[in-house]
Amino acid sequence: MTLYAERERPDDLVQSVARALRVLEVVTRSPGLPVKAIARRSGLNLSTTYHLVRTLAYEGYVTRLKDGTYDVGEQVSNRFYEQLGSLGRGPDTREVLRHLAQTTGYSAYLGRISAGRVVVVDYAEAPGSPYLEDLERGLDVSAHATALGKALLLGIPRRDRHELVIDAGMRRFTARTTPDLTVLDAQLARLRPDAVVEEHGEFRDDITCAAALVPRRKGEPAWAVGLSIPGEVVPQKARRELSVVAGDLAGV
């Protein structure tokens, strides 16, 4: 028996709200579905599903990708973290990030690719890192100029990587920023997916960042964890902790 069957159906059930939530649940469980598949899995007709998906996209709860499929929108993350705050606790990933920040003394970040963008999902601040306003939760992050972005690029096919970078543009943040896709490809070609990726002053002058791709099963989205470090050197301890935490997050 499902949870829905166990609940008592209210007399004043608003069908449109119930259907919209059903659509959102389907997209959350299986991001990257076209509307026809969402309709089939939701048990709704195609016309109704189109209207619901468009409304949810307008409100930011789902995002339409270039291939016409849909992913979870940033408003879902915003509501999720608001609820966590009201409960006074965070998910396991937050504890892992806090541990990484405390152990290394540097601010830690968790990022993923969503709707063709590299997005900061969560972070934990530490006194050893300067505040970086562009790495707030929910903000887009440059893929070509940050270690977090480069680590995530390692986790996707070369064709998808090119499309993401070209669409976002290769803005010069500093004199060290890599402005050429061929150069970026050459950098990534020298790295294994389990490598700790570094960038030195490419995103912000006098700031070094390091990141590691979180191991994943086939079909799962790409995630990466990173650190922001003042100066030019990534301490060996920070590199070791990044590798360990990336492995830990794979099991969260």
Side-chain angles (χ1 to χ4, degrees):
M1 182 178 292
T2 66
L3 288 176
Y4 287 110
E6 292 170 356
R7 296 173 188 154
E8 183 178 351
R9 180 185 175 92
D11 294 333
D12 57 349
L13 178 72
V14 181
Q15 292 283 356
S16 59
V17 175
R19 290 168 181 164
L21 290 173
R22 202 183 311 167
V23 167
L24 186 57
E25 288 170 357
V26 169
V27 176
T28 301
R29 286 195 301 267
S30 304
L33 293 176
V35 175
K36 287 184 178 180
I38 296 171
R40 186 172 60 253
R41 297 191 186 194
S42 302
L44 302 172
N45 68 55
L46 189 57
S47 176
T48 297
T49 306
Y50 268 113
H51 288 304
L52 292 172
V53 167
R54 290 179 64 185
T55 300
L56 289 169
Y58 174 77
E59 296 292 343
Y61 287 92
V62 300
T63 299
R64 188 179 189 276
L65 307 182
K66 283 195 167 184
D67 60 1
T69 63
Y70 285 84
D71 197 354
V72 177
E74 63 181 28
Q75 288 295 346
V76 173
S77 295
N78 292 341
R79 301 293 82 75
F80 174 66
Y81 283 107
E82 286 171 3
Q83 182 183 28
L84 290 173
S86 69
L87 294 173
R89 62 182 176 85
D92 292 342
T93 52
R94 272 194 160 179
E95 294 306 318
V96 174
L97 285 181
R98 286 196 190 103
H99 172 76
L100 177 60
Q102 290 170 358
T103 303
T104 62
Y106 305 120
S107 294
Y109 304 87
L110 181 66
R112 67 160 289 192
I113 294 175
S114 176
R117 305 170 300 155
V118 173
V119 179
V120 174
V121 177
D122 205 355
Y123 66 95
E125 290 189 74
S129 296
Y131 173 67
L132 298 176
E133 67 281 357
D134 291 325
L135 296 184
E136 288 279 4
R137 185 185 304 120
L139 295 184
D140 294 3
V141 178
S142 170
H144 71 289
T146 62
L148 194 67
K150 291 181 182 183
L152 286 166
L153 292 177
L154 283 174
I156 62 176
R158 188 169 181 267
R159 180 177 177 178
D160 295 343
R161 177 194 308 165
H162 284 186
E163 184 176 351
L164 187 154
V165 172
I166 290 171
D167 285 350
M170 300 188 73
R171 171 188 165 191
R172 267 195 184 275
F173 292 92
T174 73
R176 292 185 176 185
T177 303
T178 302
D180 185 270
L181 187 56
T182 303
V183 175
L184 179 64
D185 268 341
Q187 290 178 353
L188 297 177
R190 294 192 291 268
L191 299 171
R192 300 185 313 180
D194 62 348
V196 172
V197 182
E198 298 182 20
E199 64 85 2
H200 301 265
E202 293 184 48
F203 186 62
R204 288 289 182 272
D205 287 322
D206 303 318
I207 301 294
T208 290
C209 291
L213 185 67
V214 176
R216 59 180 177 145
R217 292 182 289 272
K218 186 176 181 180
E220 292 182 338
W223 297 81
V225 60
L227 294 170
S228 59
I229 304 163
E232 291 284 336
V233 179
V234 179
Q236 283 299 321
K237 180 181 179 181
R239 294 174 61 87
R240 287 195 302 270
E241 288 295 327
L242 267 176
S243 296
V244 171
V245 164
D248 288 344
L249 285 171
V252 167

